[in-house]
């Protein structure tokens, strides 16, 4: 059974990789000209689809790795390095710039036909960082009950994300540019420490230390 520390680690990792405060201004940019009801529909659908994608990886990600001959130790090392790169982008304010470029390109290509699926659910919510974090956490939550707990954590984080998107306009006004920068950097430092721990755990598992 997962410990309280493992649950806290899972919630922190998912919250930081999903980065609701960082996604809020991008969501506003994606939904310019939409009514409150339309924004609510896009946010709800995007959150549900994102939850579905991450749940699939939580349940079957390790199995797919096994079929490919990739050990969980190796994936923890690779995933930890990827998360560290994301934390680097957060600390030096590169991630927000990349998200905005992704959203702008997607609007041009898709002509806003289905923003909830692309780019909101993929790749802004269920992106490489969130998927890697989910698979890594699934390696710790191994029993059926533990996986149910992990899925509950993902559901809770998606609920927080959904509420944040609903309050995006108000949150953006409250935080401002300075507030968003400070929060993003603090979360980035936290994610850097978590990613290093993933690499350490991966090295121990890969080399049976």
């Amino acid at each position: 059974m997962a410990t309280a520390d493992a649950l806290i680690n899972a919630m922190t990792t998912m919250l930081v990789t999903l980065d609701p405060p960082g996604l809020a201004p991008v969501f506003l940019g994606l939904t310019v000209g939409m009514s409150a009801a339309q924004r609510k529909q896009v946010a709800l659908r995007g959150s549900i689809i994102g939850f579905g994608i991450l749940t699939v990886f939580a349940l079957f990600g390790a199995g797919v790795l096994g079929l490919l001959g990739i050990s969980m130790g190796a994936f923890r090392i690779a995933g930890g390095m990827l998360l560290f790169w994301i934390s680097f982008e957060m600390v030096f304010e590169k991630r927000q710039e990349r998200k905005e470029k992704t959203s702008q390109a997607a609007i041009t290509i898709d002509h806003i036909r289905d923003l909830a699926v692309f780019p909101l659910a993929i790749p802004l919510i269920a992106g490489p960082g969130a998927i890697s974090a989910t698979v890594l956490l699934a390696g710790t939550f191994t029993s059926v009950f533990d996986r149910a707990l992990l899925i509950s954590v993902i559901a809770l984080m998606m609920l927080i994300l959904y509420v944040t998107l609903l309050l995006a306009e108000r949150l953006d006004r409250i935080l401002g540019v300075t507030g968003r920068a400070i929060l993003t950097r603090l979360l980035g430092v936290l994610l850097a420490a978590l990613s290093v721990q993933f690499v350490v755990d991966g090295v121990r598992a890969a080399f049976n230390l």
Side-chain angles (χ1 to χ4, degrees):
M1 181 176 175
T3 63
D5 287 344
L7 282 173
I8 293 172
N9 180 56
M11 286 189 285
T12 304
T13 302
M14 292 307 303
L15 186 62
V16 172
T17 51
L18 289 171
D19 187 19
L23 189 56
V26 179
F27 175 75
L28 287 177
L30 286 171
T31 56
V32 167
M34 290 187 180
S35 66
Q38 289 171 328
R39 278 180 172 167
K40 182 178 181 180
Q41 185 177 6
V42 171
L44 179 61
R45 190 176 182 199
S47 299
I48 291 173
I49 294 171
F51 170 73
I53 293 170
L54 295 182
T55 298
V56 168
F57 277 95
L59 294 174
F60 306 111
V64 172
L65 292 178
L67 289 174
L68 295 174
I70 301 172
S71 69
M72 183 54 67
F75 190 83
R76 280 177 180 158
I77 295 171
M81 292 171 68
L82 175 61
L83 292 179
F84 185 81
W85 175 253
I86 291 173
S87 71
F88 179 87
E89 289 185 324
M90 292 174 72
V91 171
F92 293 98
E93 283 206 328
K94 298 294 184 182
R95 193 185 189 200
Q96 190 68 19
E97 179 183 340
R98 177 168 55 82
K99 278 186 174 181
E100 289 172 357
K101 286 182 179 178
T102 301
S103 64
Q104 290 166 3
I107 292 172
T108 303
I109 296 169
D110 262 35
H111 302 290
I112 322 179
R113 287 181 300 185
D114 204 344
L115 290 176
V117 178
F118 182 83
L120 185 57
I122 308 168
L124 294 179
I125 295 177
I131 290 173
S132 298
T134 300
V135 177
L136 289 171
L137 291 170
T140 305
F141 292 73
T142 53
S143 70
V144 174
F145 180 73
D146 286 350
R147 288 290 170 87
L149 283 178
L150 177 58
I151 293 171
S152 299
V153 168
I154 296 172
L156 176 61
M157 294 304 106
M158 284 300 167
L159 178 61
I160 293 173
L161 177 64
Y162 171 62
V163 172
T164 303
L165 294 182
L166 291 184
L167 302 174
E169 192 169 358
R170 189 179 305 173
L171 182 65
D172 194 52
R173 285 200 304 267
I174 292 172
L175 288 177
V177 176
T178 303
R180 286 199 309 271
I182 292 172
L183 184 60
T184 298
R185 281 178 167 85
L186 287 174
L187 292 175
V189 171
L190 188 59
L191 181 59
L194 289 169
S195 64
V196 170
Q197 187 61 54
F198 278 131
V199 172
V200 171
D201 292 342
V203 169
R204 286 175 177 169
F207 296 98
N208 296 317
L209 298 178

